[in-house]
């Protein structure tokens, strides 16, 4: 058992030193540039022997289990890992959900190719991370469609709901990008006492046409839509571009929500309060209605 702990320690050390992707032979080189801990802990041949025989399940029954679960080889130990992540730490009031590609070019049925990522090839994981400490609170891999499953739909919403299960009823806020955000998801999270902030894709059916990008809209202007506990914002950061933001947390000070997603309203574009202004106050509008006549306000 002590030898296995030493093996895991060397793996962690290699990652800490940024050498997890280099050839193993380099870690045992006789060079002043390499850490002497590797040679002092165990021989290179012993390390390679352990890593080539390491298993986390019963190999005899693996093929049978793979018929229903692609992740079966490490499903059990991954479940233990997930449980310990949540036992050891409680996140703050704000969490964020996104994807991460872990570089891997070996043989794997759910290996992904993402050309915009640094590694391009690897295993994609969905992560729920504490916004303050960056601690991974919950995670699971994207393995595509299981052998017995039908074609998946609304993947983004399902991922968010699955990752946030341990936080239901905790009054926390989650920040997500436009792959996940939708009005039905925001309403579902509100029913579970969670709030949402996220950018919204322009092809969503619930977005009124007035909120889309338009060359006639002034740079720095914002268009607001309200429905129950939801606020929809269309912000114009530059000509002929509109950033759509949906939030169930901010209603009065919407500038905070814009700043969270990286589009703060500058002093130049922020409207100054005017007590003598005759401009009518914002009126409530339905996000789901196409017609926005007399129900929106531009600032």
């Amino acid at each position: 058992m002590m030898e296995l702990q030493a093996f895991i320690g060397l793996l962690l050390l290699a990652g800490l030193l940024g050498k997890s992707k280099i050839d193993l032979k380099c870690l045992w080189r006789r060079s002043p540039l390499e850490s002497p801990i590797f040679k002092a802990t165990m021989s290179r041949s012993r390390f390679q022997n352990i890593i080539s025989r390491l298993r986390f399940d019963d190999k005899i029954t693996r093929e049978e289990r793979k018929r229903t679960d692609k992740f079966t080889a490490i499903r059990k130990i991954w479940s233990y890992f997930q449980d310990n992540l949540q036992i050891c730490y409680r996140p703050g009031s704000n969490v964020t959900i996104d994807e991460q590609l872990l570089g891997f070019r070996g043989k794997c049925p759910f290996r992904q190719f993402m050309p915009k990522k640094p590694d391009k090839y690897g295993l994609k994981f969905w992560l729920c991370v504490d916004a303050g400490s960056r601690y991974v609170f919950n995670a699971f891999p994207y393995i595509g469609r299981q052998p017995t499953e039908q074609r998946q739909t609304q993947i983004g919403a399902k991922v968010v709901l699955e990752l946030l299960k341990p936080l239901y009823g905790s009054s926390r806020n989650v920040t997500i990008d436009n792959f996940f955000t939708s009005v039905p998801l925001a309403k579902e999270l509100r029913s579970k006492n969670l709030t949402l902030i996220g950018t919204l894709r322009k092809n969503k059916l619930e977005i009124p046409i007035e909120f889309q990008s338009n060359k006639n809209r002034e740079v720095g202007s914002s268009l607001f839509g309200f429905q129950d506990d939801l606020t929809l914002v269309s912000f114009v950061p530059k000509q002929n571009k509109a950033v759509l933001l949906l939030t169930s947390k901010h209603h009065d000070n919407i500038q905070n929500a814009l700043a969270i997603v990286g589009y703060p309203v500058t002093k130049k574009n922020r409207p100054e309060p005017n007590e003598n202004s005759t401009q009518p106050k914002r009126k409530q509008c339905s996000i789901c209605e196409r017609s926005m006549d007399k129900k929106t306000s531009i600032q």
Side-chain angles (χ1 to χ4, degrees):
M1 187 63 182
M2 185 176 295
E3 186 181 36
L4 186 59
Q5 291 176 342
F7 169 81
I8 296 174
L10 292 181
L11 291 176
L12 294 175
L13 178 61
L16 182 63
L17 297 176
K19 299 182 178 182
S20 58
K21 297 181 181 179
I22 67 173
D23 190 349
L24 285 176
K25 297 179 181 179
C26 298
L27 298 176
W28 273 264
R29 287 188 306 181
R30 294 181 179 180
S31 169
L33 300 178
E34 299 297 337
S35 174
I37 298 178
F38 292 92
K39 295 189 291 289
T41 304
M42 66 175 62
S43 66
R44 187 184 68 193
S45 60
R46 181 57 179 166
F47 184 90
Q48 291 176 322
N49 188 36
I50 294 175
I51 202 171
S52 64
R53 289 169 170 76
L54 196 62
R55 300 288 183 274
F56 299 100
D57 71 328
D58 187 355
K59 192 175 181 179
I60 298 176
T61 61
R62 182 184 299 171
E63 290 301 321
E64 181 180 353
R65 287 181 282 111
K66 282 174 65 176
R67 297 174 186 173
T68 56
D69 185 9
K70 297 179 183 179
F71 199 56
T72 188
I74 58 172
R75 173 70 68 184
K76 188 174 182 179
I77 193 171
W78 183 263
S79 298
Y80 291 149
F81 175 67
Q82 278 184 305
D83 294 341
N84 285 328
L85 285 176
Q86 297 162 25
I87 291 172
C88 297
Y89 184 81
R90 295 299 294 174
S93 58
N94 293 287
V95 298
T96 184
I97 290 176
D98 206 351
E99 65 183 23
Q100 181 175 3
L101 187 72
L102 301 181
F104 178 71
R105 288 180 175 266
K107 186 178 179 181
C108 181
F110 48 90
R111 188 185 65 179
Q112 298 287 306
F113 172 66
M114 304 178 72
K116 294 184 179 180
K117 298 291 185 180
D119 289 314
K120 293 183 174 55
Y121 289 92
L123 307 181
K124 184 167 74 172
F125 282 78
W126 306 113
L127 306 178
C128 178
V129 182
D130 178 58
S133 65
R134 302 179 185 178
Y135 178 90
V136 178
F137 176 73
N138 199 1
F140 62 86
Y142 173 69
I143 58 178
R145 184 170 56 183
Q146 293 281 24
T148 58
E149 286 183 344
Q150 300 296 324
R151 182 179 178 181
Q152 296 177 331
T153 58
Q154 299 180 344
I155 296 176
K158 292 178 181 178
V159 167
V160 172
L161 293 173
E162 181 66 26
L163 288 173
L164 293 178
K165 272 185 179 180
L167 301 178
Y168 283 178
S170 63
S171 301
R172 285 178 170 84
N173 178 74
V174 57
T175 302
I176 52 182
D177 64 18
N178 58 21
F179 176 79
F180 306 97
T181 311
S182 67
V183 171
L185 175 62
K187 292 181 177 180
E188 179 71 16
L189 291 178
R190 286 296 297 175
S191 68
K192 302 181 185 304
N193 197 21
L194 296 171
T195 57
L196 173 149
I197 302 174
T199 52
L200 201 61
R201 288 185 176 177
K202 294 182 290 185
N203 61 354
K204 298 293 184 181
L205 296 177
E206 56 264 27
I207 300 175
I209 192 171
E210 290 85 352
F211 281 59
Q212 302 287 0
S213 58
N214 189 320
K215 63 181 180 180
N216 296 323
R217 292 184 61 185
E218 182 183 355
V219 175
S221 64
S222 299
L223 191 63
F224 297 84
F226 303 89
Q227 183 193 60
D228 300 330
D229 294 329
L230 302 180
T231 300
L232 177 65
V233 186
S234 176
F235 176 66
V236 182
K238 61 181 181 180
Q239 188 67 31
N240 205 26
K241 180 180 180 180
V243 178
L244 298 168
L245 175 77
L246 180 69
T247 175
S248 59
K249 180 179 181 180
H250 302 85
H251 300 287
D252 297 328
N253 190 1
I254 196 65
Q255 314 301 347
N256 289 342
L258 288 170
I260 288 174
V261 295
Y263 290 96
V265 177
T266 62
K267 184 176 181 181
K268 176 181 177 181
N269 297 324
R270 186 184 297 118
E272 296 293 337
N274 186 357
E275 296 179 356
N276 300 323
S277 175
T278 59
Q279 183 179 2
K281 296 182 179 180
R282 299 178 193 162
K283 296 182 180 180
Q284 190 176 29
C285 71
S286 174
I287 294 176
C288 298
E289 291 181 0
R290 282 289 181 180
S291 176
M292 302 294 292
D293 296 339
K294 299 181 181 180
K295 292 186 178 181
T296 59
S297 62
I298 301 177
Q299 295 188 352

